[in-house]
Amino acid sequence: MPLPTDSDAVRLTLLETSDLHGTILPIHYANNEPYEVGLAKIATLLRRERRRAESEGGLLLAVDNGDLIQGTPLAYHHARIDNAPPNPFVLALNKLGYDAAVIGNHEFNYGPGVLNKAVRESHFPWLSANIVKAGTEEPFFGRPYLIRECNGAKIAVLGLTTPYIPNWENPQNIEGLAFLDAVESAKRWVRYLRREEGADVVVVSYHGGFEKDPDTGEASEAQTGENQGYRLCMEVPGIDVLLTGHQHREIAGKSVNGVTIVQPGHLGQKAGRVTLTLVPGDGGGWRVADKTSELLSVQGVVPDPEVLELARPYEEATQRWLDTPIGSIEGDMTVRDPMRLRMKDNALIEFINKVQMETSGATISNTALFTDESPGFPPNVTMRHIVSNYIYPNTLKVIRITGRDMRAALERNAEYFVLDGEGRPAINPKFAVPKPQHYNYDMWEGIDYTLDISRPEGSRVVRLTHRGEPVDPDAEYDVAMNNYRAGGGGDYAMFQGKPVVKDIPTDVSELIANYILERKTVVATVDGNWEVIVGGR
């Protein structure tokens, strides 16, 4: 049988963004310095790729894989300070002619009002087959897939979302929703797309990552169901391409069980490109003759002027808000060495815990240094400093736990550390790979404790007292923490299902700002209630 000629072939290009987290402009909001990130740079790549596809008589599909509308001060300002104008991220995707977006877990952070408004303003569908109306199998956000045709070839894009969201999200933000298993949903819908819709190509865009190493198949994280990408490739027949995200990894040029995979990192540093060549099938229809995946970097790319102009009024309002003076710090709350900060009580973490305790009335609190880029607070504080340190829209909860739960949580904290070849503290790879998880290491106030990281995991808490007495395993303690942790997020299963004593549905960043505004001057204090040691050192 003769091979198809070029004129017989259909060329399909998929351009994926994922985990943009509210990043349009190529800047660091902490200092407004240039940063090689953002949708404005991605836009230039997208327009280039679309021109190339059209010149070849092919089709380009642009898909955002989720976690779009949250993550920067611009996103926060639009959601919390002035949500009346159209969503700027949706406006940008509309302008760029995106074909679809997938619901990510952070889409829910600002509540249903903000999310539903963004969906209404979109000229493209938001896809998620496994987020359904509670008690049904009916997708909540409408049709869970998209069909496009090119020269008679039928291409389907199915959306899926990590079902682990109820373990993190504020329950009122996901009321009336159910999150079905992504693998089981994919089995149902991929079969439907092949049999009922007659799809020649099935692309699954999944806001989730890989629970196993794509190369070896070895488990790379706890098998909680948060990430199911490997199972999707192995257990769901009929998938040609799997677009992934959520883990902020950079993956391309690989396939699992014949499924081409890609994951483009985060913040718009890269875009994922998948190129497929379709040829006529033996029995009619089309088959995939070739497919490849790669990552396109925005390094050195000139931002798209239309997207910059679209974002300009939002950015100007955000910058004015960020430079609003809040108050002053007497003492030192700056971050010089994140590793050292996580090993001994310090003024910055003690202050955030103090805000949580005084706001909630709890006498015990925990919080984290979310990222190594956190600068701390300088002597004169603005909103820019607040949102540069407390980067997530977490709210505050007080839950009632036992002393046994407390010890288990501290043992989980202690897993953050390993000792390197010279016996020095280092970050455990499971908190760094496939993405940094500094936000899953908490530091506590209101109790006194010591972690000896030279000891085996599970036996590192060598001191734990409350008000001068050993913590009773069976006694109950009320602890303030963010809603993510209170739901068990970060593998803190000991917190799941605990009684909620108080729910404060205000962003912690706002609580911090209000605390400083009311007092004008905050004195840095360190009571030395905790430390991390190595064998008594």
Side-chain angles (χ1 to χ4, degrees), residues 319-379:
Q319 291 292 344
R320 287 193 298 270
W321 172 70
L322 282 172
D323 290 327
T324 302
I326 298 295
S328 62
I329 303 295
E330 186 177 304
D332 187 1
M333 285 193 194
T334 56
V335 177
R336 295 181 178 83
D337 184 338
M339 189 67 170
R340 180 172 293 184
L341 180 145
R342 295 185 178 103
M343 293 193 65
K344 193 163 187 173
D345 191 24
N346 58 86
L348 176 65
I349 298 301
E350 184 165 304
F351 167 65
I352 296 173
N353 273 321
K354 185 183 295 184
V355 171
Q356 294 186 169
M357 293 161 72
E358 292 193 19
T359 300
S360 67
T363 59
I364 305 173
S365 173
N366 65 49
T367 191
L369 184 72
F370 295 125
T371 171
D372 281 353
E373 283 69 50
S374 293
F377 294 134

Side-chain angles (χ1 to χ4, degrees), residues 132-146:
V132 300
K133 297 177 182 178
T136 77
E137 291 190 350
E138 181 182 350
F140 182 83
F141 292 96
R143 204 168 193 180
Y145 62 86
L146 171 77

Side-chain angles (χ1 to χ4, degrees), residues 345 407 410-411 447-452 455 459-466 469-471 527-533:
D345 191 24
R407 181 176 288 272
L410 289 169
E411 291 289 358
I447 57 174
D448 294 270
Y449 65 95
T450 301
L451 308 179
D452 183 352
R455 296 169 62 90
S459 61
R460 291 178 165 181
V461 180
V462 296
R463 176 177 68 112
L464 178 56
T465 63
H466 177 57
E469 298 293 329
V471 167
D527 62 13
N529 68 299
W530 65 271
E531 63 178 343
V532 177
I533 63 172

Side-chain angles (χ1 to χ4, degrees), residues 151-376:
N151 296 340
K154 219 174 198 184
I155 299 100
V157 179
L158 175 70
L160 295 170
T161 304
T162 173
Y164 209 63
I165 290 171
N167 293 283
W168 307 312
E169 191 53 70
N170 192 326
Q172 68 186 24
N173 289 350
I174 54 174
E175 190 174 354
L177 303 181
F179 297 82
L180 306 181
D181 182 85
V183 174
E184 295 306 314
S185 294
K187 288 177 181 177
R188 172 193 172 192
W189 285 104
V190 171
R191 186 186 309 116
Y192 178 88
L193 290 170
R194 290 289 188 184
R195 295 180 180 177
E196 304 300 324
E197 289 283 9
D200 297 294
V201 177
V202 173
V203 176
V204 172
S205 188
Y206 165 55
H207 189 81
F210 292 94
E211 74 281 27
K212 295 185 178 182
D213 185 294
D215 294 317
T216 67
E218 295 180 2
S220 56
E221 63 178 36
Q223 306 298 290
T224 61
E226 175 181 350
N227 297 297
Q228 298 177 289
Y230 196 85
R231 285 188 61 202
L232 284 167
C233 293
M234 298 300 294
E235 299 179 24
V236 184
I239 300 175
D240 294 296
V241 177
L242 181 65
L243 310 178
T244 64
H246 184 59
Q247 292 173 314
H248 300 181
R249 299 171 69 180
E250 295 184 2
I251 301 172
K254 298 178 185 291
S255 64
V256 175
N257 195 30
V259 179
T260 296
I261 62 173
V262 67
Q263 189 171 144
H266 72 307
L267 304 185
Q269 294 173 318
K270 303 278 177 68
R273 180 175 70 186
V274 180
T275 306
L276 302 94
T277 301
L278 313 181
V279 297
D282 295 339
W286 297 78
R287 64 178 178 85
V288 178
D290 183 63
K291 51 183 178 173
T292 60
S293 66
E294 57 190 311
L295 298 180
L296 307 177
S297 174
V298 302
Q299 188 80 27
V301 172
V302 177
D304 181 84
E306 282 193 274
V307 173
L308 292 178
E309 179 58 25
L310 178 153
R312 183 181 55 78
Y314 298 88
E315 178 66 10
E316 289 175 351
T318 299
Q319 291 292 344
R320 287 193 298 270
W321 172 70
L322 282 172
D323 290 327
T324 302
I326 298 295
S328 62
I329 303 295
E330 186 177 304
D332 187 1
M333 285 193 194
T334 56
V335 177
R336 295 181 178 83
D337 184 338
M339 189 67 170
R340 180 172 293 184
L341 180 145
R342 295 185 178 103
M343 293 193 65
K344 193 163 187 173
D345 191 24
N346 58 86
L348 176 65
I349 298 301
E350 184 165 304
F351 167 65
I352 296 173
N353 273 321
K354 185 183 295 184
V355 171
Q356 294 186 169
M357 293 161 72
E358 292 193 19
T359 300
S360 67
T363 59
I364 305 173
S365 173
N366 65 49
T367 191
L369 184 72
F370 295 125
T371 171
D372 281 353
E373 283 69 50
S374 293

Side-chain angles (χ1 to χ4, degrees), residues 380-400:
N380 295 306
V381 182
T382 66
M383 281 303 306
R384 188 182 305 278
H385 301 120
I386 302 291
V387 299
S388 295
N389 286 281
Y390 208 100
I391 61 175
Y392 296 114
N394 294 329
T395 58
L396 190 61
K397 288 192 175 184
V398 178
I399 62 172
R400 184 159 292 160

